[in-house]
Amino acid sequence: MSVFTLAEAEREAVLAPELAALTERHRQACPPYRRILDAIGAAPPYGRVADLPWLPVRLFKTHELRSVPQDQVFRVLTSSGTTGQRPSRVYLDREAAAAQTRMLAATLKGVLGGRRLPMLIVDSRSVVRDPMLSARGAGVLGMMNFGRDHTFVLDEQGRLDAEAVKGFLARHGGERFLIFGFTYLVWLSLRGLGADLSQGVLIHSGGWKRLAEQAVDNAEFRRRLAAEYGLSRVHNFYGMVEQIGTVFLEGPDGDGLYCPDFADVVIRDPETWQEAPPGVPGLIEVVSTLPTSYPGHVLLTEDLGVVHGVDDGAWPGKRFAVLGRLPQAEARGCSDTMGQG
């Protein structure tokens, strides 16, 4: 069953009451969140998704925000960051962890199908061994649920393991297979491989800043992959550890990112904080019904974006692009994203 089905008016009607109820649930269960809402005077009713109170995503670096008792915390995820940054910490109980896994599967099923595919991972196995999972490690581990015969493209030292890739393609190159990696690693690691990846489906995200410095945007990325490897089924996604399990997925023709039915984006004018209309850039606010164990359901990011259209693309809902980071915003490390659409 696809999770890309709701036109924007339907999505608004479904999400607004669910998110409002979640806001009140977190108000009762998370004292720091309650103090924030009280300080800004946030109170129901909230008529629209855009009326809901948002938290700056950076708060998860500085505050312990959880809505479940400590003894019910099943997993703590941390964001990846450059040296000297404080990572975000996200607290999941078993229910929230199960929901994010289930809904990520539903989101990706539309492009991967219902069965596990042989999987090439454009990373090193060492990235999933750290007990305090980084966003990158969590991303790899999460995606491994959708694959089988997991083969890492890089060795423990981060060098291309050409023999491993060659062996994988000998076994699976004639059938559909999954490729997953962070965008800059895909670009840097697969270059010059000379392999036929025409049966692959690539899911990728992050690292656009490094590619922008080489004048590689999303259109060029897709063009080169098709020309050099025959790889034409390519889906970028936008997501973050602070809303784990929610990914905004690139449509099949690369025309922009789309929201699954349980999530949406609001583009806000950074001076007035009002919702910006389609075509006008602003800060990206991400909303999702998945964060039930911590108040991460309405988050203002430090990323700039623009809605290109509404109910006018391959899938219904908002069709948007991420344009880059807010100037002077703290770099997010491997999660930085830009240039889609």
Side-chain angles (χ1 to χ4, degrees):
M1 184 180 72
S2 173
V3 295
F4 293 95
T5 67
L6 294 180
E8 196 57 31
E10 299 172 273
R11 184 187 310 269
E12 178 76 29
V14 170
L15 291 185
E18 285 191 26
L19 291 165
L22 203 47
T23 297
E24 295 312 300
R25 170 177 166 173
H26 289 308
R27 184 198 293 267
Q28 297 303 317
C30 180
Y33 182 65
R34 179 166 63 248
R35 288 194 292 271
I36 292 168
L37 295 191
D38 289 348
I40 64 176
Y46 309 108
R48 301 176 58 245
V49 168
D51 297 335
L52 290 157
W54 42 263
L55 291 184
V57 72
R58 190 177 291 201
L59 275 185
F60 289 87
K61 296 180 183 296
T62 56
H63 293 71
E64 182 174 320
L65 297 169
R66 56 181 170 82
S67 301
V68 292
Q70 183 66 55
D71 61 6
Q72 289 182 22
V73 173
F74 170 64
R75 181 173 295 150
V76 181
L77 298 179
T78 60
S79 62
S80 60
T82 54
T83 304
Q85 286 186 29
R86 293 185 64 175
S88 294
R89 294 174 64 84
V90 174
Y91 299 86
L92 301 177
D93 62 4
R94 289 184 181 274
E95 178 187 354
Q100 60 94 1
T101 299
R102 186 173 64 251
M103 298 316 292
L104 179 60
T107 301
L108 296 176
K109 185 177 180 179
V111 297
L112 297 180
R115 63 186 181 91
R116 292 189 178 202
L117 299 177
M119 184 174 183
L120 265 183
I121 301 166
V122 189
D123 215 317
S124 167
R125 188 177 293 276
S126 61
V127 78
V128 299
R129 289 194 178 130
D130 187 346
M132 288 296 289
L133 276 177
S134 66
R136 182 166 142 193
V140 170
L141 264 186
M143 285 298 299
M144 286 176 72
N145 291 318
F146 307 108
R148 58 183 173 85
D149 192 13
H150 305 105
T151 301
F152 287 83
V153 172
L154 305 181
D155 64 17
E156 295 285 350
Q157 285 72 45
R159 297 174 304 214
L160 179 66
D161 189 342
E163 287 303 307
V165 177
K166 183 178 177 181
F168 176 91
L169 292 175
R171 296 190 300 275
H172 304 297
E175 60 181 323
R176 200 155 73 126
F177 61 90
L178 168 62
I179 309 170
F180 174 74
F182 288 85
T183 307
Y184 72 93
L185 283 177
V186 170
W187 183 257
L188 295 177
S189 302
L190 295 186
R191 301 295 305 283
L193 193 58
D196 177 7
L197 303 178
S198 58
Q199 295 301 308
V201 181
L202 172 63
I203 307 291
H204 71 102
S205 181
W208 282 104
K209 184 177 180 181
R210 302 187 192 194
L211 296 191
E213 292 166 357
Q214 302 177 37
V216 178
D217 61 9
N218 191 45
E220 176 66 5
F221 183 84
R222 293 174 66 94
R223 188 192 69 77
R224 292 279 284 276
L225 288 178
E228 294 183 18
Y229 315 115
L231 184 56
S232 58
R233 286 174 289 194
V234 175
H235 297 273
N236 194 4
F237 73 87
Y238 175 63
M240 60 201 68
V241 72
E242 294 86 0
Q243 263 187 16
I244 194 73
T246 302
V247 296
F248 301 91
L249 195 62
E250 185 178 35
D253 49 7
D255 64 346
L257 298 160
Y258 292 84
C259 309
D261 291 346
F262 53 89
D264 207 352
V265 295
V266 177
I267 305 298
R268 292 199 180 274
D269 183 307
E271 294 187 2
T272 68
W273 304 117
Q274 297 302 305
E275 183 174 11
V280 177
L283 279 175
I284 301 173
E285 174 188 303
V286 289
V287 306
S288 170
T289 60
L290 294 190
T292 54
S293 59
Y294 65 99
H297 57 305
V298 187
L299 298 179
L300 189 71
T301 75
E302 295 173 345
D303 296 318
L304 293 167
V306 63
V307 171
H308 285 318
V310 180
D311 298 330
D312 68 344
W315 297 330
K318 289 173 184 165
R319 180 173 57 84
F320 73 101
V322 182
L323 303 176
R325 302 287 282 156
L326 183 70
Q328 281 87 51
E330 182 180 13
R332 186 183 284 150
C334 78
S335 299
D336 69 316
T337 316
M338 68 172 288
Q340 296 98 327

